[in-house]
């Protein structure tokens, strides 16, 4: 019995029906990881500890919700005693003395953290081409990007090496790779999941979330990831619902917002057709399509590319070679220590964003850029608030097209930034959003994005789950449709 | 975005741009700034900036000491330290 | 040419909370290096700050005591720069919405008083310490202090001389110690100040270019540094040169200020709202509670001492001006009925002893308990005032109990009239010549007889009783 391409629920069943032992599950995970090494989905593996944990579970079975489930953790989460690099040279030797709340929550629910997944450096990127530890390959094609920044996580799940992984999403870093790799992933409402232990990129945008094979698995995992954390004052106090409760609610009469201002003409025809087919699918389940307007949507990318770099330029100042992480050799004075360490430690994209960030915050430019961007951000949020008065969810394609070739965006940052066109606005407004597979173009998957109202993960998961009941796009694997 | 500006912001960020990469950086940054300049097309005169989507007010903590002595652990992860201090090249004031 | 000096002070006051501004690290002074460093203080990747509410309360006390506006909604900003003892590469401070704005404080200089306005007081975190003389070619960093809450108090540039600057600094120090928000311990760095100094020609409206003198932490040095700087600036301008806007350090050994190097590319701090910290709101209820529980301030004490206890003005002023003295006075007074006598001793003998040993009253061996008992024993006649002085000295040296000293040394005053009469008669009989001389008009000899009786009794005779008895016997 193989665990390849199995979902969390399926593996749980296999274990409880004694079709496979915990140890066998974990052994197979590592065997698969080894077999598919060329994907470069992992930076650090946690084999010994994982096998040990699995053996303990075989001796003392547990009824914890994620008991024995192998999960790949994005290398942006601090894991105590296990190297955490954020895909960067500057942290290539960093062993955190503590674990992120998300990691603790999942491990307390019984999961086994099998390793740390590869990612764009400091979560800056949409193709996993900026990692110090090398590109990640999309299991759907050796020359294809998996998306980013949670490229390693998406690749590992899409290749069936693990049933689920944690990702983080600042401008689309869960949803975009989920779309390009043909899996399901959700970015919850800002504040649902604690950011304690999540290495910060853009503090007002970052949010952790699950990446898995189904909406059901995402809901199940999200239940365990969320918690009230007093160590993170930007985490919500609101009650955490059971995200699985409403998965099967009827969609009859529910309203789907279609964004008038979204110019789909620049997208390839297949993408538009697939998107429209999905909408028809929802209509057949009783949902209604409603036109909505988000007039400032087109400004979301420039807004993001002021706000995120500004916050990151400050967040990354702590990487100075003084107290932790890498320090350059042969530095003769303090200035050299800073400049050499940071210049050698950071890659080009990170440097670009730090420079932009410093620029937009500098004296004389603050009002014109940063303040302005924060004002436009409010306009974007207001647009969503207005729209949600008359609809339940908003749907867009997740990405402009399927996975593109590695190296094809050249070294043009703006081309890469436009990859996030559909996903960014949800981060700016703090709203929950997810991506699920809804088609295939020349054997490359593509995804549908569902955006929900503040705190309304349940409704978007409901839509996604019902779609997955009626369609089988989520069953597609690089080796064919799952049985 | 000219060479002088790039030099200043590089210094503020403690980053060195190699000479051969300098022109590309200047171009990239110029393009990005030009790209974000579109924000100025929008009238935001009466709009309050949004710094964080939550906008609820901060939770605070009670005044109690909860930290343990982590000296050994912290000095161990340091790139350069002796038993008592983190070490950097001599700073002259 | 007549010059005017314009001075503004930025005083950093370390708030006396138990834990740091954004973490549960301890703020205790003097601990072994790097033992009070929390993960948050280290600025490790992934950590997040959580604000200490008590720091707000202490800042608000300052605001209320200076008649300032309290911003019940206040927020935090990041000030970005690189330095080894600044772990995150930015300091969390309050630029746009400080907790306290405006306010004023009265200062007393020589023979006049002046009101100095305060622009703002805001919360921010302290940095760690860089130790430069550690090893050859290296600087050591101790992060114990990183994250300690500071209240930065910024004055309007209304101070006109070094003396006024010192008076202002002293007034702030007195206020923060009385408010119980800072221990005022200069040696431990609980208060530090930066001084902005500029000069202009008398009558000129425009201010001159200012120099910032950094991190001075003693009254003496503040005065010297400012005076040096004023002279330096005057000389520059008289020579036709310009004052450069820069930061300068005061060298106390050479008594001069000199420019700090490498601040050229002038730090652009790129302030922006800290995205990890949402605004903190202090409720009306909390504000009311703080108001109602404000500690009594020096002026209030002075008035109370004069009106309710009956101290005279100068005593009241002296005792109320120091928190430790006021505490001692109030504690000791509660142990005896004679508060006025407590005051007299405090201002007299005890102050003399404090000056001699150059210590503060709470560093002495005299406890409030013991002091109260001492006064009580004088009031109830157990010992005479003179004997009390020697008892005080004994306590001062050894911290022993007043009653124990009195008993063990047999210092109890002799009050028994019959005993005293016997001794007096004996003295009179042994000194017939002096008796005749006295009766013949040499009044001064009265003291001689008193002295003889005191000698006989090792000073323990009750002076009043002795006087009465002698008067009677020598009639």
């Amino acid at each position: 019995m193989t665990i390849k391409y199995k979902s969390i629920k399926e593996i749980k069943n296999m274990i409880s029906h004694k079709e496979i032992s915990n140890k066998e599950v974990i052994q197979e995970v590592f065997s698969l990881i080894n077999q598919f090494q060329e994907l470069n989905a992992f930076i650090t593996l946690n084999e010994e500890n994982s096998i040990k944990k699995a053996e303990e579970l075989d001796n003392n079975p547990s009824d914890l919700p994620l008991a024995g489930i192998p999960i790949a953790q994005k290398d942006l989460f601090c894991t105590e005693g296990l190297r955490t690099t954020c895909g960067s040279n500057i942290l290539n030797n960093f062993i955190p003395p503590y674990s992120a709340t998300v990691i603790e929550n999942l491990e307390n629910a019984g999961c086994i953290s099998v390793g740390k997944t590869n990612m764009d450096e400091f979560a800056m990127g949409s193709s996993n081409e900026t990692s110090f530890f090398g590109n990640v390959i999309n299991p759907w094609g050796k020359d294809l990007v998996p998306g980013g920044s949670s490229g390693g996580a998406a690749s590992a799940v899409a290749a069936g090496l693990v049933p689920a992984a944690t990702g983080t999403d600042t401008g689309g870093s869960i949803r975009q790779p989920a779309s390009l790799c043909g899996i399901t992933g959700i970015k919850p409402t800002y504040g649902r999941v604690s950011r304690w232990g999540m290495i910060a990129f853009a503090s007002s945008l970052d949010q952790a979330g699950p990446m898995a094979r189904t909406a059901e698995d995402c809901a199940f995992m999200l239940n365990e990831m969320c918690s009230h954390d007093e160590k993170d004052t930007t985490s919500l106090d609101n009650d955490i619902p059971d995200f699985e409760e409403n998965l099967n609610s009827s969609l009859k009469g529910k309203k789907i917002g279609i964004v008038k201002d979204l110019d789909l003409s620049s997208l390839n025809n297949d993408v538009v057709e697939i998107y429209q087919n999905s909408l028809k699918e929802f209509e057949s389940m009783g949902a209604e399509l409603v036109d909505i307007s988000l007039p400032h949507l087109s400004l979301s990318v420039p807004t993001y590319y002021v706000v995120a770099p500004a916050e990151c330029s400050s967040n990354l100042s702590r990487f100075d070679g003084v107290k932790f992480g890498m320090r350059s050799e042969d530095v003769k004075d303090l200035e050299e220590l800073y400049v050499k360490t940071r210049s050698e430690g950071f890659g080009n994209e990170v440097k670009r964003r730090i420079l932009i960030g410093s620029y937009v915050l500098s004296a004389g430019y603050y009002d014109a850029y940063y303040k302005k961007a924060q004002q436009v951000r409010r306009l974007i949020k207001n647009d969503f608030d207005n729209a949600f008065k008359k609809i339940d969810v908003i749907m867009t394609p997740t990405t402009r097209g399927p996975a593109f070739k590695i190296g094809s965006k050249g070294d043009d940052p703006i081309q890469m930034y436009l990859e996030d066109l559909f996903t960014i606005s949800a981060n700016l407004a703090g709203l929950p959003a997810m991506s699920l597979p809804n088609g295939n173009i020349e054997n490359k998957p593509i995804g549908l994005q569902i955006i929900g109202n503040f705190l309304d993960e349940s409704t978007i998961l409901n839509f996604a789950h019902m779609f997955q009941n009626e369609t089988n796009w989520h069953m597609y694997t690089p080796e064919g449709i799952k049985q | 975005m000219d060479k002088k500006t790039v030099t200043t912001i590089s210094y503020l960020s403690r980053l060195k741009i190699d000479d051969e990469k300098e022109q590309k950086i200047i171009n990239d940054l110029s393009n990005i700034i030009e790209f974000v300049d579109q924000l100025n097309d929008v009238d935001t005169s009466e709009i309050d900036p949004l710094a964080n989507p939550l906008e609820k007010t901060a939770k605070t903590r009670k005044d109690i000491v909860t930290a343990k002595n982590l000296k050994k652990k912290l000095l161990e992860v340091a790139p350069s330290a002796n038993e008592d201090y983190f070490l950097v090249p001599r700073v002259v004031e | 040419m007549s010059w005017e000096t314009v001075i503004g002070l930025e005083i950093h006051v370390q708030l006396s909370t138990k834990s740091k501004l954004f973490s549960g690290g301890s703020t205790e002074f003097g601990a072994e290096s790097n033992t009070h460093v929390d993960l948050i203080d280290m600025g490790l990747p992934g950590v997040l700050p959580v604000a200490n509410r008590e720091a707000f309360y202490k800042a608000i006390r300052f605001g209320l005591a200076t008649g300032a506006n309290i911003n019940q909604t206040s927020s935090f900003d990041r000030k970005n720069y690189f330095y080894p003892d600044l772990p995150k590469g930015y300091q969390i401070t309050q630029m746009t919405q400080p907790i306290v704005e405006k306010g004023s404080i009265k200062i007393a200089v020589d023979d006049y008083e002046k009101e100095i306005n305060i622009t703002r007081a805001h919360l921010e975190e302290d940095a760690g310490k860089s130790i430069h003389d550690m090893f050859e070619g290296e600087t050591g960093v101790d992060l114990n202090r990183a994250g300690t809450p500071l209240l930065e108090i910024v004055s309007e540039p209304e101070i006109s001389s070094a003396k006024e600057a010192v008076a202002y600094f002293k007034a702030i120090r007195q206020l923060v110690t009385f408010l119980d928000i800072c221990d005022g311990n200069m040696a431990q760095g609980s208060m530090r100040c930066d001084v902005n100094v500029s000069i202009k020609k008398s009558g000129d409206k425009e201010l001159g270019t200012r120099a910032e003198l950094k991190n001075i932490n003693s009254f003496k040095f503040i005065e010297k540094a400012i005076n040096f700087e004023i002279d330096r600036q005057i000389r520059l301008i008289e020579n036709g040169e310009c004052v450069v806007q820069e930061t300068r350090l005061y060298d106390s050994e050479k008594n001069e200020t000199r420019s700090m190097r490498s601040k050229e590319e002038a730090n652009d701090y790129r302030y922006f709202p800290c995205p990890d910290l949402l605004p903190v709101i202090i409720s009306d209820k909390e504000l009311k509670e703080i108001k109602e529980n404000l500690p009594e301030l020096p002026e209030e004490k002075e008035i109370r001492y004069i009106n309710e206890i009956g101290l005279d003005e100068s005593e009241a002023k002296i005792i109320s001006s120091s928190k430790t003295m006021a505490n001692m006075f109030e504690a000791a007074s509660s142990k005896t009925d004679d508060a006025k006598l407590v005051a007299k001793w405090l201002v007299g003998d005890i102050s003399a002893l404090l000056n001699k040993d150059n210590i503060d009253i709470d560093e002495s061996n005299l406890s409030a308990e013991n002091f109260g008992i001492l006064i009580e024993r004088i009031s109830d006649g157990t010992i005479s005032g003179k004997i009390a002085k020697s008892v005080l000295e004994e306590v001062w040296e050894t911290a022993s109990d007043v009653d124990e000293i009195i008993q063990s040394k047999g210092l109890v005053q002799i009050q028994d009239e019959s005993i005293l009469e016997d001794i007096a008669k004996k003295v009179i009989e042994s000194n017939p010549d002096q008796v005749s001389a006295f009766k013949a008009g040499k009044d001064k000899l009265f003291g001689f007889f008193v002295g003889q009786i005191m000698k006989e009794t090792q000073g323990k005779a009750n002076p009043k009783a002795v006087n009465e008895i002698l008067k009677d016997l020598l009639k």
Side-chain angles (χ1 to χ4, degrees):
Chain A
M1 276 249 87
T2 175
I3 57 122
K4 198 173 187 207
Y5 300 124
K6 296 283 196 300
S7 69
I8 296 177
K9 297 264 172 165
E10 285 169 335
I11 295 179
K12 266 175 80 85
N13 265 334
M14 286 163 70
I15 295 175
S16 69
H17 290 138
K18 303 249 191 292
E19 289 163 14
I20 194 169
S21 72
N22 285 292
K23 187 169 176 186
E24 282 166 333
V25 170
I26 300 304
Q27 281 172 329
E28 196 184 348
V29 167
F30 285 101
S31 159
L32 287 169
I33 292 175
N34 191 36
Q35 207 186 331
F36 289 92
Q37 246 178 71
E38 78 241 8
L39 293 176
N40 201 22
F42 286 87
I43 295 177
T44 306
L45 293 176
N46 192 22
E47 192 165 354
E48 209 181 297
N49 280 337
S50 298
I51 304 246
K52 215 168 128 217
K53 244 181 141 181
E55 283 170 345
E56 279 162 20
L57 277 170
D58 281 331
N59 292 333
N60 280 318
S62 149
D63 54 5
L64 287 173
L66 290 170
I69 301 298
I71 295 190
Q73 310 287 17
K74 185 171 180 178
D75 208 11
L76 188 142
F77 295 101
C78 284
T79 41
E80 186 174 354
L82 183 61
R83 182 173 73 155
T84 300
T85 69
C86 241
S88 179
N89 185 20
I90 215 167
L91 287 179
N92 71 52
N93 61 352
F94 178 60
I95 314 246
Y98 77 109
S99 281
T101 298
V102 165
I103 301 292
E104 282 185 348
N105 287 350
L106 288 170
E107 290 181 353
N108 287 340
C111 89
I112 297 183
S113 302
V114 294
K116 309 301 289 299
T117 58
N118 204 345
M119 52 181 282
D120 276 306
E121 189 182 0
F122 283 109
M124 300 181 205
S126 307
S127 62
N128 220 132
E129 289 173 292
T130 68
S131 169
F132 176 72
F133 299 91
N135 295 344
V136 172
I137 311 290
N138 189 326
W140 291 85
K142 277 202 200 3
D143 55 345
L144 298 176
V145 302
S149 62
S150 311
S155 180
V157 174
L161 315 179
V162 287
T166 47
T168 66
D169 191 311
T170 303
S173 294
I174 285 177
R175 293 160 285 156
Q176 187 251 22
S179 170
L180 301 191
C181 287
I183 61 168
T184 306
I186 178 170
K187 175 201 90 67
T189 308
Y190 180 85
R192 270 289 193 213
V193 180
S194 167
R195 290 189 301 116
W196 174 262
M198 253 176 75
I199 298 180
F201 158 21
S203 321
S204 74
L205 300 165
D206 294 341
Q207 192 61 190
M211 301 173 78
R213 305 209 66 88
T214 64
E216 189 180 22
D217 271 4
C218 282
F220 187 61
M221 203 166 139
L222 191 59
N223 273 343
E224 304 309 320
M225 288 174 76
C226 294
S227 61
H228 303 308
D229 191 359
E230 9 170 85
K231 299 193 290 296
D232 174 4
T233 62
T234 57
S235 77
L236 289 164
D237 276 338
N238 305 62
D239 285 340
I240 304 168
D242 176 354
F243 294 114
E244 287 186 281
E245 211 171 24
N246 294 319
L247 287 176
N248 287 302
S249 299
S250 163
L251 298 183
K252 234 165 160 200
K254 295 223 167 106
K255 301 202 175 24
I256 301 173
I258 305 300
V259 185
K260 285 196 329 244
D261 325 81
L262 213 55
D263 179 14
L264 299 178
S265 62
S266 63
L267 301 184
N268 107 20
N269 287 334
D270 292 325
V271 175
V272 180
E273 201 186 315
I274 288 171
Y275 169 63
Q276 284 165 345
N277 285 343
S278 302
L279 296 177
K280 289 200 190 91
E281 189 63 54
F282 283 108
E283 278 182 303
S284 75
M285 287 191 266
E288 293 165 27
L289 304 182
V290 176
D291 274 349
I292 57 163
S293 176
L294 299 175
H296 301 94
L297 192 67
S298 62
L299 292 173
S300 48
V301 182
T303 300
Y304 176 87
Y305 281 99
V306 170
V307 172
E311 293 183 11
C312 94
S313 71
S314 178
N315 283 332
L316 266 55
S317 292
R318 68 193 64 206
F319 301 108
D320 57 9
V322 174
K323 316 154 300 287
F324 48 79
M326 177 208 114
R327 180 192 288 200
S328 291
E329 313 265 303
D330 305 320
V331 288
K332 62 177 195 292
D333 59 31
L334 186 67
E335 278 305 305
E336 207 172 87
L337 189 157
Y338 287 144
V339 176
K340 229 172 159 223
T341 300
R342 288 165 63 81
S343 303
E344 285 170 18
F346 292 136
N348 287 334
E349 183 57 33
V350 169
K351 283 188 191 140
R352 255 194 298 257
R353 298 206 196 183
I354 292 176
L355 290 172
I356 290 288
S358 293
Y359 180 74
V360 302
L361 290 177
S362 58
Y365 296 110
Y366 178 88
D367 282 353
Y369 291 109
Y370 187 76
K371 184 169 172 212
K372 186 81 187 180
Q374 298 287 47
Q375 287 170 314
V376 176
R377 185 176 182 177
R378 186 176 293 282
L379 290 176
I380 293 171
K381 180 168 183 293
N382 290 347
D383 286 351
F384 276 107
D385 289 343
N386 280 334
F388 275 106
K389 285 185 183 137
K390 44 182 192 157
I391 44 114
D392 297 294
V393 297
I394 297 173
M395 287 191 188
T396 74
T398 307
T399 51
R400 300 203 304 171
F404 46 92
K405 284 199 161 61
I406 294 173
S408 64
K409 296 290 172 189
D411 209 0
D412 184 349
I414 297 184
Q415 277 310 305
M416 195 63 84
Y417 298 166
L418 290 172
E419 278 301 303
D420 302 325
L421 182 62
F422 299 130
T423 51
I424 273 179
S425 52
N427 300 83
L428 291 171
L431 300 175
M434 68 184 292
S435 178
L436 58 152
N438 71 334
N440 212 288
I441 300 173
E442 291 159 11
N443 203 37
K444 288 180 288 204
I446 191 100
L448 174 72
Q449 176 176 235
I450 311 180
I451 304 173
N453 203 353
F454 195 69
L455 296 177
D456 199 11
E457 293 85 356
S458 295
T459 302
I460 59 178
L461 287 163
N462 172 209
F463 272 81
H465 180 71
M466 296 304 270
F467 185 84
Q468 288 179 343
N469 278 346
E470 299 301 316
T471 64
N472 68 350
W473 296 110
H474 60 290
M475 310 269 267
Y476 277 56
T477 78
E479 294 176 75
I481 301 179
K482 230 171 101 168
Q483 294 318 314
Chain B
M1 185 68 65
D2 54 14
K3 189 168 161 153
K4 184 163 176 292
T5 309
V6 174
T7 306
T8 305
I9 56 178
S10 303
Y11 174 71
L12 288 176
S13 317
R14 298 304 187 275
L15 292 172
K16 181 172 187 300
I17 310 297
D18 293 327
D19 289 331
E20 68 252 23
K21 295 207 178 116
E22 199 175 37
Q23 195 49 53
K24 173 145 204 314
I25 289 278
I26 296 177
N27 289 342
D28 282 344
L29 297 181
S30 296
N31 289 339
I32 295 172
I33 293 302
E34 209 183 296
F35 175 66
V36 302
D37 266 334
Q38 340 168 15
L39 295 175
N40 288 315
D41 297 337
V42 177
D43 177 17
T44 53
S45 36
E46 298 299 307
I47 309 290
D48 236 348
L50 177 62
N52 186 299
L54 290 187
E55 295 204 295
K56 62 182 187 48
T57 61
K59 292 175 278 195
T60 53
R61 30 177 291 276
K62 290 205 184 63
D63 186 26
I64 45 177
V65 174
T66 54
K68 302 192 202 70
N69 179 351
L70 299 171
K71 182 169 178 170
K72 201 154 170 285
K73 247 187 182 176
L74 298 176
L75 290 174
E76 262 167 16
V77 297
S80 174
N82 62 17
E83 279 170 3
D84 293 305
Y85 299 97
F86 299 94
L87 294 173
V88 295
R90 178 71 185 274
V91 178
V92 189
E93 238 162 29
Chain C
M1 186 94 74
S2 164
W3 296 100
E4 273 174 25
T5 309
V6 177
I7 298 172
L9 254 65
E10 286 164 17
I11 301 178
H12 291 90
V13 168
Q14 248 177 21
L15 295 178
S16 53
T17 53
K18 298 202 254 318
S19 61
K20 296 194 175 166
L21 185 52
F22 296 112
S23 79
S26 165
T27 56
E28 208 190 310
F29 182 83
E32 186 191 318
S33 67
N34 288 310
T35 52
H36 284 337
V37 184
D38 178 279
L39 298 173
I40 297 169
D41 303 328
M42 264 285 271
L44 281 178
V47 299
L48 295 168
V50 182
N52 181 340
R53 210 169 187 83
E54 183 65 28
F56 280 87
Y57 291 165
K58 288 194 192 261
I60 289 172
R61 273 190 236 167
F62 179 82
L64 292 171
T66 52
N69 298 333
I70 310 294
N71 283 331
Q72 283 174 256
T73 300
S74 67
S75 61
F76 289 101
D77 302 289
R78 292 187 186 177
K79 177 180 182 183
N80 298 282
Y81 66 98
F82 285 90
Y83 204 71
D85 57 28
L86 189 69
K88 297 187 292 294
Y90 60 84
Q91 177 199 37
I92 302 180
T93 176
Q94 295 187 301
M95 231 253 312
T96 46
Q97 276 184 308
I99 178 77
V100 167
E101 270 182 303
K102 306 232 179 356
S104 65
I105 191 165
K106 207 167 26 186
I107 65 173
V109 196
D110 290 343
D111 54 354
Y112 65 95
E113 281 187 346
K114 189 172 168 182
E115 188 101 358
I116 303 289
N117 287 307
I118 292 169
T119 317
R120 53 169 21 226
H122 66 254
L123 290 167
E124 60 183 29
E125 50 176 358
D126 208 346
K129 277 210 180 110
S130 295
I131 297 136
H132 301 300
D133 326 301
M134 202 66 296
F135 301 97
E136 199 49 46
E138 287 187 301
T139 287
V141 179
D142 174 9
L143 294 177
N144 274 351
R145 200 181 62 179
T148 301
L150 295 176
L151 184 67
E152 178 174 334
I153 303 168
V154 182
S155 80
E156 290 286 336
E158 294 172 352
I159 297 169
S160 325
S161 70
K163 278 203 158 148
E164 283 186 8
V166 172
Y168 172 77
F169 195 90
K170 284 187 169 165
I172 295 283
R173 178 166 178 270
Q174 184 191 64
L175 184 58
V176 300
T177 49
F178 270 86
L179 287 173
D180 220 350
I181 64 177
C182 173
D183 65 16
N185 189 326
M186 310 279 282
Q188 288 179 1
S190 302
M191 286 180 71
R192 290 149 5 216
C193 88
D194 298 338
V195 186
N196 290 307
V197 183
S198 69
I199 57 171
K200 64 184 173 84
K201 295 202 200 99
S202 298
D204 259 7
K205 275 228 162 88
E206 221 180 283
L207 295 179
T209 310
R210 58 166 208 251
E212 187 184 9
L213 311 179
K214 270 201 105 55
N215 245 335
I216 314 183
N217 62 356
S218 94
F219 301 130
K220 193 169 70 173
F221 293 156
I222 291 173
E223 192 164 356
K224 286 180 150 196
I226 294 176
N227 283 331
F228 175 87
E229 184 59 21
I230 294 172
D231 281 342
R232 184 188 77 89
Q233 291 190 12
I234 291 177
R235 264 181 286 119
L236 270 179
I237 298 188
E238 282 177 346
N239 275 342
E241 291 172 60
C242 288
V243 174
V244 173
Q245 180 167 334
E246 60 178 352
T247 309
R248 300 176 71 83
L249 274 184
Y250 176 67
D251 183 334
S252 55
E253 274 168 50
K254 296 194 183 143
N255 188 29
E256 63 181 24
T257 65
R258 58 165 192 276
S259 184
M260 276 178 88
R261 29 137 92 201
S262 86
K263 295 276 171 172
E264 268 36 274
E265 248 113 353
N267 260 315
D268 178 352
Y269 295 118
R270 291 152 286 143
Y271 290 96
F272 74 105
C274 183
D276 294 322
L277 289 165
L278 301 169
V280 173
I281 293 193
I282 303 293
S283 68
D284 289 338
K285 181 161 170 273
E286 286 171 296
L287 199 53
K288 187 158 168 278
E289 230 180 279
I290 298 171
K291 234 182 223 159
E292 283 167 8
N293 290 315
L294 267 186
E296 198 181 25
L297 296 180
E299 281 129 18
E300 295 164 338
K301 283 191 196 289
E302 193 183 331
I303 292 172
R304 181 164 69 81
Y305 295 165
I306 295 171
N307 292 342
E308 287 173 36
I309 299 180
L311 296 194
D312 67 35
E313 252 188 66
S314 68
E315 283 175 339
K317 214 182 191 64
I318 294 173
I319 295 173
S320 67
S321 70
S322 149
K323 186 167 174 121
T324 43
M325 262 236 172
N327 282 349
M328 174 61 97
F329 172 67
E330 289 169 17
S333 300
S334 70
K335 309 273 179 224
T336 160
D337 287 331
D338 203 341
K340 291 183 78 167
L341 197 54
V342 173
K344 184 164 155 291
W345 278 79
L346 204 45
V347 169
D349 288 61
I350 292 178
S351 285
L353 284 169
L354 289 172
N355 281 337
K356 172 170 89 56
D357 289 348
N358 198 18
I359 54 175
D360 204 348
I361 189 130
D362 58 348
E363 295 166 301
S364 76
N365 281 326
L366 181 66
S367 70
E369 179 88 31
N370 246 348
F371 185 25
I373 293 176
L374 182 71
I375 298 299
E376 196 56 22
R377 297 290 167 263
I378 300 172
S379 297
D380 68 18
T382 308
I383 53 176
S384 68
K386 195 150 181 257
I387 294 284
K389 278 187 204 272
S390 62
V391 173
L392 174 63
E393 284 190 21
E394 178 86 18
V395 173
W396 198 261
E397 293 306 312
T398 65
S400 325
D401 235 25
V402 164
D403 280 335
E404 265 179 44
I405 296 172
I406 293 175
Q407 289 312 321
S408 67
K409 297 208 165 161
L411 299 174
V412 178
Q413 204 166 215
I414 299 175
Q415 315 241 48
D416 189 326
E417 300 219 347
S418 54
I419 298 178
L420 289 175
E421 223 182 287
D422 284 347
I423 297 174
K425 282 184 182 155
K426 211 174 112 202
V427 162
I428 288 172
E429 270 161 41
S430 326
N431 295 285
D433 296 333
Q434 284 85 343
V435 174
S436 325
F438 177 76
K439 286 191 174 164
K442 272 207 164 159
D443 292 330
K444 271 189 166 184
L445 283 173
F446 192 84
F448 168 77
F449 295 115
V450 172
Q452 289 300 303
I453 294 173
M454 285 301 178
K455 216 165 120 195
E456 279 293 314
T457 61
Q458 290 107 27
K460 288 183 285 189
N462 181 319
K464 204 158 163 244
V466 164
N467 277 1
E468 294 293 320
I469 290 167
L470 275 176
K471 269 202 201 121
D472 211 45
L473 290 176
L474 290 169
K475 263 209 292 269

